[in-house]
């Protein structure tokens, strides 16, 4: 019966279901990509690391453990890495690069892509350097040219296209120059106080239990501040980083699906209205309410399944595109294949959502009275509360919460996501209802007929007001929020880079070099905006509890970076212009001789510190206890050296340290010249070109926002599809009316104007509500997530609202055109 | 002549074949005439009415309505002619379901941009005995009441000619009698020409002239034997 009944309206039902296709496609695409990525990471996890075990420290390995490390596994490579300015003499190009001095046959796994291939052997024989392709391209350097690192000048043997474990984006941010290990000492860059990272890559015999080896060494490694990274731990870490990304994208996809489901609900609602007569006949012939619902539920489920299958097929195709879009972020070569769990999930979620949303309007069929056969009436069947309807609402809510939990396993995300959806739907629905109420109450009776007819269509029976305001409003909301977030991120970068802002940071300056470096700047009349000493140290204990003990305590939620990373600390007795005192005092030396330090407020919160707590640091081998004497708010967006921890004067003066000098160089040409001079006179001094960093960040943000926009496009296209199908379906409602008006002598212009008034008003209202919601979301994100001030980019948002309104009105008009083409008689007869 | 029809032919393409539903029909009506088109189902009655009223285009032949040749007009121009000169009554009433009774009657006046449409419409509703039902939607009215609203609407723009397609087809005999009597009364009061399509010969007999169609051809065109009191 369900099949037979659908015969005449199958194409129309299919249109309803098309609105879920894109949502499912996006969901399946993203989840398939997530599966494939996880599989690729697991398959290539050895390649990610390039070895079975990596040991890492910011100081040379302690003599108590170094001999044991030197005996580990079958083969080892040592890697001493630091940042330094490098110079390409032929083109005079200078840039801060990562310098890695390798002794050994790293990488043991994965392809180290070098062109020409012969360069690898030449490198191992110590005949020259290998340089990341991006760096060579930037300065138009060719293989065979030379590169100067510190005091050493070596020929460039080859271009490095890919290094295991390093993504394309990684090498763009910090391009690497590889030197054979024997040149390390000759660079002259390893000095007291230099920031250097020491690594040993180890390859074990096949079948060795690396975790057990590490476990045996763990205590001594901890004591020597050596971190270990195994294939398993790297795999876990990389996987986690990318699962966050796919979770986020899958939620964006889920919104597209939800939007589509709103379309399904409204479409089925109209479909049901058309079928009321047929249902009444069925009831007359003895069908129960349940049977009647079942007939139409089977129809919608069948088409929901079809929509889900088409969507899943499309999604399986989409995932082939994603690696192209995300490629440069990925550390592994992703192998694309059909991910059946993702396809299955897409089918189930799509079908269930479609059925649940279709069920809402279908439920009213149960109450259709057989009396309708004798006499049509509008409201007799649907009056009164329906507990089953509330059960369906609850099921939809539970499903959304359940799905979000399944995707993210984070209650905070579940709460924020479901809450925002609820608020958005609630506000948009409320707005629609309010509009109808206001129009009914304050109807402008004196306006022209066209206006009154257009406005009246917004609240008369069979209106599209709620559906269109919800779907168009939600679509606009998503689009505008994405736009605002992007503007926030970019704006944050641009915030403090005006003409008078510093743009060159010189660091790793040894004390004895300070006068010389300042002289270089003074000769060129460059200002010294800031000069400060930096001492590196590690945290040993918080309130006498050792870092190792805190790490073992799983109930502690102190972030691991706070315990393990190297602290760069300065010392002074006052706060800088980018700092505001929140509690206690600026740094001072206590009467007890203990330094009272000032910490960043955010850091204090993360590490659960309060005034009077003690921190014990390892300052280059000597323990030093400090007391929290005050907290500061730091404006991290100001382009100057900001610090988590500031010591008072009078304690660290004798510790190994380097100086940082910040200046502003007016032109790029002079910037290059200053860097060249520095490389020549003070090879160990590094320089950060802030303009270059900002450009790179901008690049990353552009790529990230492209990925997000790519996913958001699904929501937007779905929104448009829902909009188009809502409008097309409403045609079936309006066609009779328009034709009658034509019969009674309405001109084409009058019909079009009535439509224009109705849809333009709906579009404008929905778009306005959408950007209003987005402005709210943007403000919340700015205040709570990015912690920046928020200014609405009003012209762009209004432009977006205008475009959405125009599209809505245009779709409405295109729809009416069809009505105008057909002769009235045909429709009057066909209607029967 | 208020309506002049010459050699009117209508052909539809159906399943690759041509189907002629109206063969060279000709007749003429004077202002104030009452006229019925009768015939069995499928004889072309409604097609002929639609062509005469400018709701569709003929394949051949011509229609002059109130001196205007409809065949050369585009849909918008024909809509204007309908609005100025034509009233309609349909078997299934064809009221706009989303408008109240009063609003339905107002529509033709509103489309012309006439002032005081509500007042005129209210007067007409009172004339058909529905003065108190103006704010009701069509679904809240009985069939007879709906047809009376549709009568009020048909006369709202003071048409020169009124086309009625099976006006009593959906009504019981008593209601039919009321509606028919009202139709002829209003017609006489307004001096409108009436073109009626029906297969109810009794109703047809109430008009001055009857055109009988079969298979799209005129088989009879006669003056009614008795012109009743209407």
């Amino acid at each position: 019966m369900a099949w037979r009944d659908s015969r005449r309206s199958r194409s129309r039902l299919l249109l309803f279901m098309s609105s879920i296709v894109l949502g499912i496609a996006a969901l399946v695409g993203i989840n398939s990509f997530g599966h494939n990525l996880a599989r690729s990471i697991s398959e290539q996890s050895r390649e990610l690391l390039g070895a079975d075990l990596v040991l890492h420290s910011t100081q040379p390995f302690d003599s108590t453990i170094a001999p044991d490390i030197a005996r580990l596994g079958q083969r080892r490579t040592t890697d001493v890495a630091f940042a330094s300015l490098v110079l390409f003499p032929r083109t005079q190009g200078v840039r801060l690069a990562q310098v890695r001095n390798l002794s050994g046959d790293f990488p043991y796994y994965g392809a180290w892509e070098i062109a020409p291939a012969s360069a690898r052997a030449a490198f191992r024989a110590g005949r020259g350097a290998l340089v990341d392709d991006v760096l060579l391209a930037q300065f138009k350097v060719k293989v065979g040219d030379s590169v100067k690192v510190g005091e050493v000048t070596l020929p460039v043997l080859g271009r490095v296209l890919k290094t295991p474990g390093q993504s394309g984006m990684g090498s763009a941010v910090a391009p690497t120059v590889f030197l054979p290990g024997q040149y390390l000492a000759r660079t002259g860059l390893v000095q007291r106080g230099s920031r250097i990272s020491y690594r040993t890559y180890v390859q074990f015999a096949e079948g060795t239990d690396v975790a057990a080896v590490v476990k045996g060494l763990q205590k001594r490694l901890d004591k020597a501040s050596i971190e270990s990274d195994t294939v398993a731990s790297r795999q876990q870490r990389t996987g986690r980083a990318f699962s966050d990304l796919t979770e986020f994208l899958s939620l964006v996809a889920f919104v597209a699906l939800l939007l589509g489901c709103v379309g399904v609900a409204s479409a089925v609602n109209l479909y049901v209205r058309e079928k009321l007569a047929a249902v009444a006949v069925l009831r007359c012939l003895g069908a129960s309410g349940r049977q009647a619902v079942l007939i139409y539920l089977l129809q919608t489920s069948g088409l929901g399944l079809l929509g889900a299958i088409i969507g899943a097929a499309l999604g399986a195709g989409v995932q082939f595109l994603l690696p192209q879009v995300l490629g440069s972020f990925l550390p592994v070569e992703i192998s694309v294949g059909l991910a059946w769990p993702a396809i299955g999930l897409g089918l189930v979620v799509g079908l269930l959502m479609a059925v649940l949303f279709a069920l809402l309007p279908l439920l009213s069929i149960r109450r259709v009275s057989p009396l309708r056969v004798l006499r049509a009436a509008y409201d007799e069947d649907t009056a009164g509360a329906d507990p089953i309807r509330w059960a369906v609402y609850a099921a939809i809510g539970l499903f959304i919460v359940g799905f979000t939990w399944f995707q993210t396993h984070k209650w905070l995300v579940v709460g924020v996501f479901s809450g925002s959806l609820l608020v958005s739907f609630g506000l948009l629905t409320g707005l629609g209802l309010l509009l109808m109420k206001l129009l009914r109450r304050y109807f402008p009776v004196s306006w022209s007929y066209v206006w009154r007819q257009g406005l009246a269509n917004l609240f008369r029976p069979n209106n599209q007001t709620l559906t269109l305001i919800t779907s168009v409003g939600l679509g606009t909301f998503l689009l505008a929020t994405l736009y605002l977030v992007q503007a926030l991120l970019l704006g944050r970068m641009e915030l403090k880079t005006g003409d008078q802002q510093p743009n060159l940071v010189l660091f790793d300056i040894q004390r004895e070099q300070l006068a010389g470096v300042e002289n270089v700047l003074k000769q060129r009349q460059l200002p010294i905006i800031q000069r400060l000493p930096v001492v590196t140290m590690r945290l040993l204990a918080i309130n006498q509890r050792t870092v190792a003990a805190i790490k073992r305590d799983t109930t502690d939620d102190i972030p691991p970076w706070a315990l393990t990373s190297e602290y760069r600390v300065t010392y002074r007795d006052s706060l800088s212009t980018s700092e505001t005192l929140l509690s206690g005092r600026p740094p001072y030396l206590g009467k007890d001789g203990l330094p009272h330090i000032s910490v960043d407020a955010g850091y204090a919160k993360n590490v659960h510190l309060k005034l009077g707590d003690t921190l014990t640091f390892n300052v280059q081998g000597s323990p030093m206890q400090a007391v929290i004497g005050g907290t500061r708010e730091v404006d991290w967006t100001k382009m100057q050296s900001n610090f988590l921890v500031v010591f008072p004067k009078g304690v660290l003066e004798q510790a190994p340290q380097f100086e940082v000098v910040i200046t502003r160089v007016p032109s790029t040409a002079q910037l290059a010249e200053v860097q060249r001079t520095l490389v020549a006179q003070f090879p160990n001094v590094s320089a950060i070109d802030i303009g270059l960093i900002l450009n790179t960040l901008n690049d990353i943000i552009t790529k990230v926002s492209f990925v997000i926009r790519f996913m958001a496009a699904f929501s937007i296209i779905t929104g448009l599809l829902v909009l188009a199908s809502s409008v097309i379906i409403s045609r079936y409602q309006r066609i009779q009316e328009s034709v009658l008006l034509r019969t009674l002598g309405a001109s084409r212009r009058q019909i079009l104007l009535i439509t224009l008034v109705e849809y333009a008003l709906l579009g404008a209202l929905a778009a306005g509500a959408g950007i209003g919601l987005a402005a709210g979301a943007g403000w919340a994100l700015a205040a709570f997530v990015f912690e920046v001030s928020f200014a609405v980019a009003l012209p762009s948002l209004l432009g977006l609202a205008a475009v959405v309104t125009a599209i809505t009105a245009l779709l409405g008009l295109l729809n009416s055109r069809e009505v105008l083409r057909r002769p009235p008689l045909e429709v009057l007869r066909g209607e029967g | 002549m208020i309506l002049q029809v010459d050699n009117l032919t209508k052909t539809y393409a159906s399943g690759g074949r041509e189907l002629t539903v109206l063969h060279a029909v000709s007749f003429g009506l004077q202002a104030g005439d009452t006229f019925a088109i009768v015939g069995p189902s499928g004889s072309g009655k409604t097609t002929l009415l639609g062509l005469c009223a400018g709701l569709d285009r003929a394949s051949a032949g011509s229609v002059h309505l109130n001196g205007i040749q409809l065949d050369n007009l585009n849909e918008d121009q024909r809509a204007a002619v309908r609005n100025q000169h034509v009233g309609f009554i349909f078997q299934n009433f064809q009221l706009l379901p989303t408008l109240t009774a009063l609003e339905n009657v107002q529509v033709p006046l509103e489309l012309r941009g006439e002032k005081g449409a509500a007042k005129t419409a209210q007067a007409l509703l009172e004339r058909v005995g529905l003065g108190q039902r103006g704010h009701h939607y069509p679904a809240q009215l009985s069939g007879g009441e709906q047809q009376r609203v549709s009568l009020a609407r048909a006369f709202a723009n003071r048409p020169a000619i009124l086309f009625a397609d099976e006006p009593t087809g959906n009504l019981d005999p008593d209601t039919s009698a009321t509606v028919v009597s009202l139709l002829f009364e209003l017609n006489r009061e307004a001096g409108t020409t009436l073109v009626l399509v029906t297969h109810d010969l009794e109703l047809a007999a109430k008009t001055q002239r009857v055109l009988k169609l079969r298979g799209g051809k005129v088989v009879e065109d006669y003056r009614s034997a008795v012109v009743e009191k209407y």
Side-chain angles (χ1 to χ4, degrees):
Chain A
M1 176 66 205
W3 178 247
R4 284 199 301 271
D5 182 87
S6 71
R7 248 188 319 241
R8 284 199 57 186
S9 37
R10 249 170 248 159
S11 62
R12 213 182 303 172
L13 273 174
L14 202 57
L15 182 70
F16 311 165
M17 293 311 164
S18 70
S19 47
I20 58 167
V21 165
L22 279 184
I24 293 169
L27 201 60
V28 170
I30 280 297
N31 279 333
S32 297
F33 170 75
H35 276 276
N36 288 331
L37 183 63
R39 203 191 56 228
S40 301
I41 287 175
S42 135
E43 281 168 4
Q44 299 168 42
S45 47
R46 274 176 155 191
E47 285 85 339
L48 268 176
L49 207 57
D52 294 312
L53 171 69
V54 180
L55 297 170
H56 169 229
S57 178
T58 51
Q59 58 210 37
F61 292 166
D62 196 280
S63 57
T64 58
I65 196 166
D68 295 321
I69 291 176
R71 282 195 298 273
L72 276 180
Q74 290 181 317
R75 293 197 290 171
R76 286 155 304 279
T77 299
T78 61
D79 176 1
V80 182
F82 47 81
S84 169
L85 286 177
V86 297
L87 169 78
F88 297 98
R90 187 177 67 79
T91 61
Q92 287 293 297
V94 184
R95 182 175 169 175
L96 185 69
Q98 184 72 15
V99 179
R100 289 175 70 177
N101 298 267
L102 295 178
S103 315
D105 295 337
F106 175 83
Y108 301 114
Y109 308 107
W112 195 17
E113 288 175 30
I114 297 164
S118 58
R120 187 170 169 160
F123 175 77
R124 289 200 172 137
R127 288 205 286 271
L130 296 173
V131 183
D132 263 352
D133 196 36
V134 279
L135 200 52
L136 295 183
Q138 185 186 350
F139 295 111
K140 301 188 173 53
V141 176
K142 294 195 289 283
V143 171
D145 287 350
S146 56
V147 55
K148 182 167 184 283
V149 181
E151 305 289 346
V152 170
T153 304
L154 289 173
V156 176
L157 296 172
R159 299 181 291 131
V160 177
L161 304 172
K162 194 169 187 327
T163 305
Q166 197 168 348
S167 69
M169 196 52 83
S171 49
V173 175
T176 309
V177 174
F178 294 90
L179 298 184
Q182 62 259 43
Y183 296 102
L184 176 64
R186 281 170 53 192
T187 61
L189 297 174
V190 182
Q191 296 176 7
R192 197 163 162 256
S194 306
R195 292 162 315 109
I196 297 172
S197 139
Y198 297 86
R199 281 191 174 77
T200 296
Y201 296 90
V202 188
Q203 185 192 31
F204 288 92
E206 202 66 45
T208 309
D209 183 353
V210 181
V213 174
V214 173
K215 207 174 171 191
L217 285 170
Q218 195 66 57
K219 271 194 180 155
R220 291 164 67 201
L221 289 173
D222 282 347
K223 205 172 163 207
S225 293
I226 297 173
E227 286 162 36
S228 62
D229 205 357
T230 60
V231 171
S233 65
R234 174 64 68 95
Q235 180 187 336
Q236 211 180 6
R237 222 173 43 227
T238 315
R240 210 181 306 136
F242 283 94
S243 72
D244 282 351
L245 175 72
T246 48
E247 275 164 18
F248 168 71
L249 292 179
S250 75
L251 288 185
V252 175
F254 189 54
V255 172
L257 180 61
L258 277 177
L259 215 55
C261 287
V262 173
V264 168
S266 79
V268 173
N269 187 29
L270 290 176
Y271 181 67
V272 164
R273 276 180 186 280
E274 284 177 21
K275 290 286 180 183
L276 286 179
V279 174
V281 172
L282 285 172
R283 297 299 304 272
C284 270
L285 297 177
S288 69
R290 220 180 110 256
Q291 281 174 319
V293 172
L294 213 59
I295 287 170
Y296 294 101
L297 190 63
L298 277 175
Q299 285 180 5
T300 40
S301 309
L303 284 151
L305 185 64
L306 193 64
I309 290 171
I310 297 171
L314 201 63
V318 164
Q319 59 149 337
F320 285 88
L321 281 176
L322 284 171
Q324 320 258 328
V325 178
L326 288 162
S328 56
F329 289 99
L330 305 178
V332 291
E333 204 65 48
I334 187 157
S335 60
V336 182
L338 286 181
W340 290 110
I343 292 173
L345 180 76
L347 284 176
V348 170
V349 170
L351 182 61
L352 248 145
M353 291 299 284
V355 168
L356 278 175
F357 273 81
L359 206 52
L360 283 175
L362 284 178
L363 283 175
S364 61
I365 285 179
R366 286 176 311 135
R367 298 188 165 196
V368 170
S369 157
L371 261 181
R372 225 173 226 281
V373 171
L374 306 176
R375 187 188 157 93
Y378 269 113
D379 36 20
E380 62 181 68
D381 313 315
T382 46
D386 184 352
I388 297 187
R389 180 175 298 275
W390 287 106
V392 175
Y393 281 128
I396 290 174
L398 270 178
F399 191 79
I400 291 171
V401 168
F403 179 82
T404 319
W405 167 250
F406 179 76
Q407 289 287 61
T408 64
H409 294 285
K410 291 177 194 127
W411 282 115
L412 183 70
V413 178
V414 174
V416 170
F417 182 76
S418 319
S420 322
L421 273 180
L422 193 71
V423 168
S424 311
F425 269 101
L427 279 177
L428 288 170
T429 311
L431 186 77
L433 291 173
L434 183 72
L435 171 75
M436 292 198 275
K437 200 172 171 181
L438 286 178
L439 272 177
R440 211 174 271 143
R441 181 135 185 211
Y442 302 106
F443 193 71
V445 276
S446 59
W447 290 15
S448 78
Y449 172 69
V450 164
W451 271 93
R452 278 183 290 129
Q453 181 73 21
L455 288 177
N457 282 346
L458 293 174
F459 62 80
R460 283 189 170 142
N462 296 345
N463 65 68
Q464 290 284 296
T465 307
L466 282 185
T467 313
L468 283 189
I469 285 198
T470 319
S471 57
V472 178
L474 213 57
T476 315
F477 168 46
L478 270 182
L479 192 61
T481 307
L482 286 168
Y483 169 78
L484 285 177
V485 167
Q486 195 190 339
L488 271 181
L489 291 175
L490 290 173
R492 201 178 176 195
M493 299 296 148
E494 288 160 3
L495 215 53
K496 305 288 164 57
T497 56
D499 276 352
Q500 296 314 310
Q501 294 294 328
N503 63 354
L504 185 66
V505 179
L506 307 175
F507 60 100
D508 283 345
I509 305 168
Q510 303 299 308
R511 269 189 185 168
E512 57 277 16
Q513 297 173 320
L514 188 60
V517 170
E518 286 189 354
N519 210 23
V520 168
L521 300 182
K522 274 181 199 150
Q523 278 165 7
R524 288 163 181 76
Q525 280 153 2
L526 299 174
I528 292 167
I529 298 174
Q530 207 182 5
R531 175 182 53 216
L532 35 91
V534 174
V535 179
T536 58
M537 52 185 74
R538 283 179 171 278
L539 192 63
L540 283 180
I542 303 173
N543 290 328
Q544 273 73 47
R545 263 181 89 208
T546 62
V547 164
I550 297 170
K551 272 199 213 164
R552 276 195 301 273
D553 185 351
T554 49
T555 61
D556 244 317
D557 61 344
I558 295 176
W561 61 262
L563 302 174
T564 53
S565 56
E566 188 178 64
Y567 285 67
R568 280 158 209 153
V569 168
T570 192
Y571 53 89
R572 50 182 147 85
D573 288 340
S574 57
L575 298 187
S576 77
T577 52
S578 62
E579 298 169 328
T580 322
L581 188 69
L582 283 189
S583 65
R585 288 166 53 184
Y588 65 100
L589 197 56
K591 287 182 186 131
D592 48 4
L594 282 178
H596 286 61
I597 57 175
S598 173
V599 294
D600 168 59
Y603 170 79
K605 192 175 157 206
N606 280 329
V607 187
H608 314 307
L609 295 175
K610 53 183 189 310
L611 294 184
D613 281 351
T614 60
L615 296 180
T616 312
F617 289 100
N618 171 357
V619 183
Q620 315 266 326
S622 343
M624 175 173 288
Q625 198 175 346
V627 182
I628 310 285
T631 58
R632 296 160 294 140
E633 171 100 55
V634 179
D635 180 0
W636 293 95
T637 58
K638 279 206 176 157
M639 282 299 167
Q640 49 181 302
S641 288
N642 292 314
F643 296 89
L644 290 177
V645 175
V646 179
F647 269 68
K649 279 185 179 167
V651 221
L652 295 174
E653 275 76 356
Q654 298 313 312
Q657 57 196 275
F658 61 86
E659 298 280 334
V660 173
V661 169
I662 296 175
T663 183
R664 168 163 186 82
V665 185
S667 67
T668 21
Q670 197 174 9
L671 193 73
E673 192 270 328
V674 170
Q675 293 194 65
R676 277 196 300 276
T677 311
L678 288 171
V679 171
Q681 293 185 17
F682 309 100
N684 64 297
V685 171
S686 301
I688 298 178
D689 174 356
I690 292 173
L692 190 68
I693 298 268
L694 285 181
N695 281 344
T696 315
L697 281 177
N698 218 336
D699 245 27
I700 296 175
I701 289 173
T702 311
K703 285 199 174 174
V704 170
S705 56
F706 176 72
V707 173
I708 295 175
R709 267 193 235 144
F710 181 81
M711 289 313 299
F714 282 91
S715 299
I716 294 154
I717 297 172
T718 302
L720 284 178
L721 257 180
V722 171
L723 173 63
S725 60
S726 304
V727 173
I728 290 168
I729 291 153
S730 72
R731 181 176 76 205
Y732 296 108
Q733 297 288 311
R734 296 266 184 259
I735 197 163
Q736 190 68 15
E737 193 168 306
S738 296
V739 166
L740 262 171
L741 286 174
R742 288 292 272 168
T743 308
L744 297 175
S747 68
R748 171 188 297 262
R749 196 172 152 271
Q750 283 173 315
I751 303 268
L752 288 178
L753 272 176
I754 291 171
T755 315
L756 188 68
V757 168
E758 180 182 356
Y759 286 100
L761 194 74
L762 270 182
L765 208 75
I771 61 170
L773 279 173
W779 170 81
L781 286 171
F784 302 116
V785 181
F786 302 115
E787 297 184 352
V788 291
S789 60
F790 175 64
V792 185
L794 209 57
S796 317
L797 286 186
L798 289 180
L800 178 71
V803 169
V804 172
T805 308
I807 291 176
T808 314
L810 195 73
L811 281 171
L813 287 180
L814 282 176
N815 218 7
S816 301
R817 237 176 36 135
E818 169 82 3
V819 172
L820 296 175
R821 272 211 303 268
R822 296 166 64 184
L825 191 65
E826 186 185 322
V827 186
L828 289 180
R829 280 182 146 181
E831 177 270 345
Chain B
M1 283 282 174
I2 185 88
L3 181 68
Q4 180 64 52
V5 172
D6 293 305
N7 288 316
L8 210 56
T9 300
K10 180 71 182 174
T11 307
Y12 290 107
S14 168
R17 286 191 320 184
E18 292 215 323
L19 181 68
T20 303
V21 292
L22 218 54
H23 295 268
V25 175
S26 301
F27 64 88
L29 295 179
Q30 297 292 343
D33 280 358
T34 53
F35 180 68
I37 303 167
V38 298
S41 297
S43 59
K45 302 187 298 288
T46 303
T47 305
L48 178 57
L49 178 121
L51 290 172
C52 291
L55 292 176
D56 203 357
R57 279 171 186 277
S59 308
S62 69
V63 178
H64 285 79
L65 198 151
N66 216 7
I68 305 162
Q69 187 174 354
L70 297 184
D71 321 280
N72 303 326
L73 303 183
N74 64 27
E75 178 47 42
D76 250 3
Q77 291 164 325
R78 280 186 282 144
V81 170
R82 289 197 295 269
N83 190 241
Q84 292 298 318
H85 307 290
V86 180
F88 285 101
I89 297 170
F90 300 99
Q91 178 178 2
N92 43 11
F93 324 132
Q94 298 287 9
L95 297 175
L96 292 167
T98 59
L99 302 187
T100 62
L102 184 70
E103 288 168 336
N104 264 291
V105 180
Q106 277 176 245
V107 168
L109 298 167
E110 301 262 28
L111 289 173
R112 285 169 28 160
E114 265 186 36
K115 299 243 184 283
K119 215 170 148 191
T120 314
Q122 181 61 34
L124 276 162
L125 275 183
E126 272 161 22
R127 176 69 187 84
V128 297
L130 292 172
Q132 304 301 312
R133 309 293 300 274
H135 59 282
H136 285 130
Y137 283 98
Q140 296 164 318
L141 302 172
S142 71
E145 287 167 335
Q146 288 190 48
Q147 196 59 305
R148 275 147 69 193
V149 174
S150 129
L151 267 174
R153 183 179 68 184
F155 284 98
N157 58 341
R158 294 174 300 280
I161 186 164
L162 182 71
F163 291 95
D165 183 16
E166 302 278 11
T168 56
N170 276 0
L171 304 175
D172 64 80
D174 284 350
T175 315
S176 287
T178 317
V179 167
V180 167
S181 128
L182 204 50
L183 170 64
F184 279 87
E185 263 175 54
L186 284 166
N187 192 54
R188 202 178 50 235
E189 285 167 17
T192 312
T193 308
L194 175 67
V195 178
L196 198 67
V197 161
T198 183
H199 46 234
D200 177 355
L201 292 178
E202 212 176 307
L203 175 60
K206 290 174 175 147
T207 61
Q208 295 161 333
R209 184 177 162 195
V210 178
L211 188 81
K212 204 170 187 180
L213 290 179
R214 182 169 295 137
K217 290 179 182 150
V218 178
V219 289
E220 241 179 303
D221 182 354
Y222 59 91
R223 295 258 152 200
S224 293
V226 185
V227 176
E228 291 193 22
K229 55 188 175 179
Y230 304 111

